[in-house]
Amino acid sequence: MRKTVFQLIGMLSFVLLLQDVAAQKIQELPGKEGISFRGLSVVNDRLLWVSGNKGTVGRSTDGGKSFQWMTVKGHEKRDFRDIEAFDAVTAVILAVDSPGLILRTFDGGESWQEVYRDNRSGIFLDALHFRNKDEGMAVGDPIDGKILLLRTADGGRSWQPYPTAYPAPMEGEAFFAASGGNIVTLKKAETIFVSGGKQSRVFYAGQAFELPLKQGETSTGANAIALKHPNRKRGGRHWVVVGGDFAKDKERTGNICFTRDGGASWQQAAAPPQGYRSGISYVRGNQLIACGTSGVDWSRDGGRTWSLISPVGYHVVQKAKDGRAVYLAGGNGRIGKLIR
């Protein structure tokens, strides 16, 4: 009798899992053909901004039903890999490659003010993140033998080098500008960020620890990190990191790891996502969504097991800062919304 009860419980759990996965769908929204979007900032359920190459920025105030498209004047050939928006008129964008640039708008994208420039050879900014409307951080590839970290305390109006020392970068270690998801700023000036390339590590509290992800090539390693409770001390205890090998985007080996003890130990998924993943976000409770060039996956158990919900590729996924909506953005102007 005991065995029969356990079997019934197992069957019921499996049926519930299938129903949960089947309930998740990605609705494609009006995008902009020919543009690669890697920057995404979801302010609330109806307001989102995206940024991409060819100097392109887009804003929707109706939940993605329509977008206002703009090309940043004087920067028509730049690739804006990340964006942070605060409301319908204020946003900050980051441009990769040289010169390193951060721009800010206060009028809905009608004009953009240059708030940071770095003309050094080899400069490459990767991502930025704000903990509130004033305080934010940006990370860039190592330069002059040091990790590039920038800090703002005035809403992105000005940026300064971050003085706290982290371990020196290892040979072949860098930070991917894949989704803006490899850095998270926390309370009390704490920051967590992840690296990739020939070495893949997580940096926090002035230290760095190796991640159990695929590494060793320039295309491997961590791309993004999600924290279940980012407002708690050191981001709580539940973190999930995704990556893999973007040159082999359907390989499942070494593309995800997670910790349940604040980074003290790491585990790999029992059933990993269906390939390389560049973006990840907590949705609700232990539910997560991850995306990459080979599709979108769903987890209902904190990252231990994953199921493919769409074979369509996206670069970045983000839940609304104030709300429940989840949006995605990717190549060839693709923008999507999670339906559940």
Side-chain angles (χ1 to χ4, degrees), residues 281-308:
S281 178
Y282 269 98
V283 176
R284 182 180 181 185
N286 287 325
Q287 298 174 338
L288 294 117
I289 184 172
C291 67
T293 49
S294 58
V296 182
D297 296 89
W298 180 262
S299 173
R300 65 191 296 268
D301 55 14
R304 190 176 66 86
T305 60
W306 294 80
S307 299
L308 188 72

